[in-house]
Amino acid sequence: MTTELLAPLDLAFWHLESTAHPLHLGALAHFGPVPAPPGAEPADVLELLARRAAAVPRLRMRVRDVLIPVGGAAWSADPDFDVRRHVREITLPGADFPAETARLAAELMERPVERGLPPWEMYLLSGAPDGSFAVLVKLHHALADGMRAVAIGAGIFDEIAAGRRPPRRSRPLPPHSPSSGLPGPGRLLGIARDRLGDLGRAVEVGASVVRASRLDGRPTAALAAHSSGTRRIATATLSLDRVHRVRRATGGTANDVLLAVVAGALRRWFDGRGLPLPGADPRALVPVSRRRPGAPPGPGNSLSGYLLDLPVTEPDPAARLAAVRRAMDRNKEAGPFRGAGAVALLADRLPPLAHRFGAPFASGAARLLFDLLVTQVPLPRSALSLGGAPLRALFPMAPLARGQSLAVAMSPYDGRVHIGLVADGAAVPDLDALADALTAELDLLDPPERGEEPGA
């Protein structure tokens, strides 16, 4: 793979990171025991992980500064790449393996990835008495957005690795007639028109950002944090069939239902803490991919977003869902390229030097726009495995912006929605209570039928 400049949004993520605010995505995958014939040696999962990760070209790339453009950076192959620097095994006490896995994953998510190396890590977490295990994956946000991270991380699974083909040799370009290299008048007019359109859209988004900003700087108090640099992780699992049952009964989308569940869980969590409800509904940033459906993931980040006031102050669950659906319909009608949630698009309009020197100022701006991140990360629909061990659950984990204490990420897989909660460890010591509240809120929208487990 040749040298490739970081796209503006990737560069922004690279410079926004600090020790207390690492900007890597994560995923905690739980696998069942490896089915092996009697007397056979179990698969060496660590060796398998290392071999498959090393075969993903993107994971051999590191970031280095470049002279031109000034302030820019580029991806280039690490000449000293050693996959053993990135893939490690940690054995945990087996008595309470799930709890120990979440605790250790939180500690590992606190640590920024090493910036002089390709910015990713994988940890094999073993020690369960039944032979099951977990894998924690960390990818810097400059390397990938959610969809791209799935495409990169999927290379470790048996089903994707088996179908991987060696790269094709590039064909020579066809001969062409000499030219001056300058675009003709028609092309110049098109370039000028595109630039004016981009500028107009940037001005429109910028104006929306200013209008939506809470210039008093006072986010929802319980969700604001002076970062402690620590992390807590909790997980929840909901029945995808039940989510769709609510969707069919009420209209809208499955994501509308899940956003309403998050809103209700926050309300329940406030009440459980003995806190008064906020004076204004907390605002969520809901990331939206700018990639076309069915298109290859492509390199780097391609993101926009919607802003959504989660109706925490509404006491009725059905009314909360209706409010979410109306708000998301308005967002979709405006589209992902307009409105304050599209603030990521402004990164494309800034020169590299602005990202380098403006990062300290921009890093605190998120709290003026939103209180928490709520994102959905799609996974392949087919069953996945690693070394023959079936994937039982995959909990995505999003980074925390400066001044915020909670991020919620969701992934549907195998008939369930797996929810990963990441929080500042000092600001949200009771994160498990919020995870339990998610299950209770789905039960309010769709009371479990006889024989159904609550939430699941």
Side-chain angles (χ1 to χ4, degrees):
M1 188 179 290
T2 58
T3 297
E4 169 196 320
L5 287 175
L6 268 71
L9 186 53
D10 303 347
L11 192 64
F13 284 131
W14 188 248
H15 290 308
L16 283 171
E17 181 175 68
S18 67
T19 303
H21 299 89
L23 279 180
H24 48 256
L25 310 172
L28 182 62
H30 288 271
F31 295 88
V34 179
E41 288 294 323
D44 188 338
V45 178
L46 183 67
E47 177 61 32
L48 195 61
L49 267 179
R51 185 169 69 250
R52 289 181 178 172
V56 178
R58 197 72 180 176
L59 296 183
R60 305 175 71 93
M61 307 292 283
R62 65 177 181 176
V63 176
R64 63 176 181 84
D65 292 337
V66 295
L67 295 176
I68 299 175
V70 177
W75 294 106
S76 61
D78 182 358
D80 301 315
F81 178 76
D82 181 355
V83 73
R84 295 295 180 182
R85 294 178 177 176
H86 302 267
V87 180
R88 305 177 181 92
E89 181 174 8
I90 300 176
T91 302
L92 297 170
D96 192 359
F97 186 75
E100 286 297 315
T101 298
R103 179 195 60 76
L104 179 60
E107 291 182 7
L108 294 172
M109 286 295 289
E110 291 174 8
R111 308 173 189 173
V113 295
E114 190 171 340
R115 292 170 73 89
L117 300 174
W120 64 276
E121 298 169 0
M122 289 186 190
Y123 293 88
L124 170 62
L125 309 179
S126 58
D130 64 353
S132 60
F133 60 92
V135 174
L136 175 68
V137 180
K138 294 167 55 177
L139 295 172
H140 197 285
H141 213 332
L143 182 66
D145 55 24
M147 289 186 67
R148 178 64 178 165
V150 169
I152 292 173
I156 71 170
F157 293 114
D158 299 337
E159 294 74 14
I160 285 81
R164 185 186 289 135
R165 297 178 179 178
R168 297 179 179 179
R169 294 183 179 180
S170 57
R171 297 180 180 179
L173 295 174
H176 63 281
S177 56
S179 70
S180 65
L182 297 175
R187 178 61 181 146
L188 281 173
L189 182 61
I191 292 173
R193 188 184 301 114
D194 290 344
R195 292 292 182 268
L196 286 173
D198 288 347
L199 179 60
R201 189 158 55 205
V203 170
E204 181 180 355
V205 171
S208 298
V209 169
V210 172
R211 288 194 298 270
S213 296
R214 295 164 298 182
L215 298 179
D216 59 4
R218 291 179 295 177
T220 303
L223 299 176
H226 297 289
S227 177
S228 66
T230 62
R231 294 289 180 269
R232 285 187 182 272
I233 287 173
T235 61
T237 304
L238 305 179
S239 164
L240 187 57
D241 286 343
R242 291 180 61 196
V243 169
H244 282 299
R245 200 156 68 199
V246 176
R247 174 191 60 79
R248 288 191 295 269
T250 61
T253 68
N255 197 45
D256 293 341
V257 177
L258 291 170
L259 289 167
V261 166
V262 172
L266 285 171
R267 179 185 175 89
R268 184 180 293 265
W269 179 64
F270 279 119
D271 184 62
R273 278 186 153 198
L275 296 173
L277 291 176
D281 287 327
R283 182 177 294 167
L285 175 65
V286 183
V288 179
S289 175
R290 289 187 280 156
R291 306 184 195 279
R292 294 180 179 177
N301 286 268
S302 184
L303 289 172
S304 181
Y306 296 140
L307 292 181
L308 172 68
D309 290 337
L310 294 170
V312 169
T313 55
E314 169 56 59
D316 180 62
R320 282 197 294 269
L321 175 54
V324 166
R325 188 171 63 247
R326 289 193 301 268
M328 288 302 287
D329 285 346
R330 288 193 297 268
N331 276 325
K332 292 168 189 173
E333 185 178 353
F337 299 100
R338 289 182 169 83
V343 64
L345 301 179
L346 297 180
D348 293 338
R349 314 293 179 249
L350 297 176
L353 205 58
H355 289 298
R356 184 178 292 270
F357 291 108
F361 304 99
S363 62
R367 65 191 296 271
L368 299 178
L369 279 177
F370 59 94
D371 297 300
L372 73 160
L373 179 75
V374 183
T375 184
Q376 187 170 151
V377 181
L379 292 178
R381 294 185 180 181
S382 57
L384 300 171
S385 61
L386 175 60
L391 176 65
R392 299 300 192 199
L394 191 149
F395 299 99
M397 290 174 284
L400 293 180
R402 183 185 296 275
Q404 296 174 340
S405 62
L406 177 66
V408 182
M410 303 177 280
S411 283
Y413 172 74
D414 194 25
R416 298 175 183 268
V417 182
H418 300 100
I419 304 177
L421 306 173
V422 177
D424 181 275
V428 190
D430 57 342
L431 190 60
D432 287 336
L434 182 56
D436 292 340
L438 292 165
T439 300
E441 283 306 309
L442 180 59
D443 290 341
L444 280 180
L445 288 170
D446 178 59
E449 297 177 351
R450 182 175 297 179
E452 281 186 325
E453 296 180 21

